[in-house]
């Protein structure tokens, strides 16, 4: 039986939302702000592909896509908007390749990232910006070298223009300079609060928790008020989690700090490098492990951690 791993991070904007299942009251936190938005701004998109490897794609030192699974097939690929990872100007992409499950080497491995962009709501006018490959697949010497490795990493850059920007975490505290033990304790307490919200299926509490993240995503993706409706159902279904079972939260001694965005973002992972809030689903044909992704920042020195990505 195959085990599929899915990372859940919803680009969700709360705009006069209702929840019939969890709350009778109207949720009035208005996160979708159309004031002064320029809908001619660009939306950037990433398509990934791979062969004979598992792999991870980082954009500006943030894991944007990770496909590592415990079954003997090629990794999954993705197609996703990436404005939230970007800045105007030069952006960095790193591809990390790992052997397939039960394999030891990267024999025949390759991975590719295609970046394109288009004006908001005009996907048909898309323009390809750059194709970023793990290596030159026409270079026999490099291909042979990689085939004998158990890990390979490569980086490249591409230029971004005309995207909406907002501060987000870009000027937040560099957490690499903080006391690691104190940071771990604070972060674990925050995760405990998140876990209880999910355990209690508290939609209103969850929306309050991710409020700053959704304001950030709303702006950088140029969401219109109508975009919110398509996300509400997904997030409600996640909180209700029908058929999915929230797994126990690991102890503080079983989790590890993951710093991203050059020290500006922090989260926990388990010994396998996976986000620690996990849901499990199983039927006669499939097992599915779904991971909820939370990245925190500290806006200013002395502030509490908050979810921002």
């Amino acid at each position: 039986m195959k085990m599929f791993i899915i990372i859940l991070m919803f680009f969700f904007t709360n705009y006069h939302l209702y929840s019939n299942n969890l709350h009778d009251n109207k949720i009035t936190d208005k996160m979708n702000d159309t004031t002064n938005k320029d809908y001619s701004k660009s939306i950037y998109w990433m398509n990934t592909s791979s062969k004979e490897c598992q792999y991870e794609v980082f954009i500006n030192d943030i894991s944007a896509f990770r496909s590592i699974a415990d079954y003997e097939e090629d990794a999954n690929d993705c197609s996703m908007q990436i404005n939230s990872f970007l800045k105007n100007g030069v952006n960095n992409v790193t591809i990390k390749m790992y052997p397939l499950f039960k394999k030891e080497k990267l024999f025949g491995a390759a991975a590719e990232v295609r970046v394109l962009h288009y004006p908001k709501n005009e996907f048909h006018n898309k323009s390809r910006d750059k194709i970023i490959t793990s290596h030159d697949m026409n270079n026999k010497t490099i291909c042979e070298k990689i085939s004998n490795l158990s890990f390979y990493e490569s980086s490249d850059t591409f230029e971004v223009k005309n995207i909406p920007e907002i501060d987000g975490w870009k000027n937040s505290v560099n957490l690499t300079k903080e006391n690691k033990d104190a940071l771990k304790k604070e972060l674990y307490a925050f995760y405990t609060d998140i876990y209880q919200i999910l355990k209690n299926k508290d939609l209103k509490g969850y929306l309050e928790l991710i409020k700053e993240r959704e304001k950030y995503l709303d702006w950088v993706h140029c969401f219109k008020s109508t975009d919110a409706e398509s996300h509400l159902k997904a997030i409600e279904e996640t909180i209700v989690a029908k058929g999915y079972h929230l797994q126990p939260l690991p102890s503080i001694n079983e989790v590890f700090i993951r710093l991203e965005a050059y020290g500006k973002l922090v989260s926990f992972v388990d010994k396998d490098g996976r986000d620690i809030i996990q849901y499990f689903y199983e039927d006669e044909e499939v097992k599915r492990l779904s991971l909820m992704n939370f990245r925190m920042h500290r806006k200013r020195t002395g502030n509490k951690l908050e979810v921002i990505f």
Side-chain angles (χ1 to χ4, degrees):
M1 185 180 291
K2 295 178 181 178
M3 168 74 84
F4 294 94
I5 299 177
I6 302 171
I7 298 177
L8 302 176
M9 189 183 97
F10 293 96
F11 296 95
F12 174 78
T13 305
N14 167 24
Y15 182 75
H16 292 290
L17 303 180
Y18 294 87
S19 171
N20 295 323
N21 294 326
L22 303 179
H23 295 279
D24 293 329
N25 60 303
K26 189 175 183 180
I27 301 172
T28 56
D29 295 330
K30 185 176 178 181
M31 298 181 188
N32 179 254
D33 181 9
T34 58
T35 305
N36 299 322
K37 278 188 182 174
D38 181 355
Y39 290 108
S40 69
K41 293 291 188 180
S42 294
I43 301 297
Y44 277 75
W45 200 271
M46 173 181 78
N47 297 321
T48 74
S49 60
S50 65
K51 66 174 185 177
E52 299 299 327
C53 69
Q54 303 186 92
Y55 69 111
E56 191 167 12
V57 176
F58 290 79
I59 301 176
N60 294 327
D61 195 41
I62 305 170
S63 178
F65 178 70
R66 186 174 191 260
S67 183
I68 298 177
D70 58 351
Y71 52 90
E72 297 180 72
E73 292 183 7
D74 282 352
N76 294 317
D77 299 319
C78 82
S79 181
M80 60 182 283
Q81 289 187 24
I82 56 173
N83 276 40
S84 51
F85 297 88
L86 303 178
K87 61 183 179 180
N88 284 303
V90 177
N91 291 257
N92 180 268
V93 174
T94 298
I95 299 172
K96 296 183 180 182
M97 297 193 301
Y98 313 91
L100 291 173
F101 182 61
K102 292 186 177 180
K103 303 290 184 180
E104 295 182 356
K105 303 294 182 182
L106 289 168
F107 183 77
E112 180 179 274
V113 174
R114 293 174 179 248
V115 178
L116 56 89
H117 77 276
Y118 56 93
K120 172 70 176 176
N121 293 335
E122 295 183 30
F123 187 75
H124 58 282
N125 287 331
K126 59 184 178 295
S127 301
R128 181 176 294 169
D129 291 82
K130 192 166 187 177
I131 299 175
I132 298 169
T133 58
S134 54
H135 59 285
D136 181 358
M137 285 167 274
N138 294 318
N139 188 318
K140 187 176 180 180
T141 301
I142 292 177
C143 291
E144 288 178 351
K145 177 183 177 181
I146 292 173
S147 290
N148 289 307
L149 299 175
S150 58
F151 171 76
Y152 184 76
E153 175 180 336
S154 63
S155 295
D156 202 347
T157 61
F158 67 98
E159 187 84 12
V160 168
K161 298 178 180 178
N162 195 39
I163 63 169
E165 287 196 82
I166 192 173
D167 190 40
W169 64 84
K170 295 178 178 65
N171 293 306
S172 299
V173 174
N174 185 343
L175 298 170
T176 62
K177 298 178 180 180
E178 295 197 1
N179 179 281
K180 292 298 183 293
D181 290 337
L183 178 61
K184 187 174 185 179
K185 289 178 181 178
E186 180 184 1
L187 187 59
Y188 191 79
F190 197 1
Y191 267 91
T192 302
D193 291 341
I194 295 172
Y195 187 85
Q196 288 302 316
I197 287 172
L198 295 172
K199 185 177 180 180
N200 295 334
K201 303 183 186 297
D202 179 2
L203 176 62
K204 189 173 182 179
Y206 185 75
L207 292 174
E208 179 64 27
L209 171 77
I210 63 172
K211 181 171 61 177
E212 293 305 315
R213 177 171 82 183
E214 304 316 317
K215 287 179 180 178
Y216 171 77
L217 296 175
D218 169 69
W219 185 262
V220 299
H221 288 284
C222 282
F223 281 164
K224 293 185 176 180
S225 58
T226 53
D227 292 323
E229 296 177 8
S230 64
H231 295 281
L232 175 58
K233 184 177 180 181
I235 205 165
E236 282 192 303
E237 288 178 351
T238 300
I239 299 300
V240 174
K242 290 183 179 179
Y244 285 80
H245 304 283
L246 182 62
Q247 300 301 289
L249 189 69
S251 72
I252 193 170
N253 296 321
E254 298 174 302
V255 298
F256 304 89
I257 287 177
R258 174 178 61 189
L259 288 165
E260 297 178 282
Y262 310 106
K264 302 295 180 68
L265 297 175
V266 64
S267 56
F268 275 143
V269 295
D270 63 16
K271 61 181 179 60
D272 296 315
R274 303 179 304 198
D275 294 280
I276 66 168
I277 294 186
Q278 305 177 357
Y279 286 85
F280 184 72
Y281 172 87
E282 181 178 10
D283 60 22
E284 294 180 354
E285 297 182 357
V286 67
K287 292 181 179 179
R288 183 177 293 115
L289 185 66
S290 297
L291 314 177
M292 293 202 75
N293 189 317
F294 299 93
R295 293 180 174 103
M296 291 71 159
H297 77 143
R298 195 185 309 284
K299 189 67 175 178
R300 299 284 182 267
T301 300
N303 287 12
K304 294 182 179 180
L305 295 173
E306 64 179 3
V307 176
I308 190 61
F309 196 34

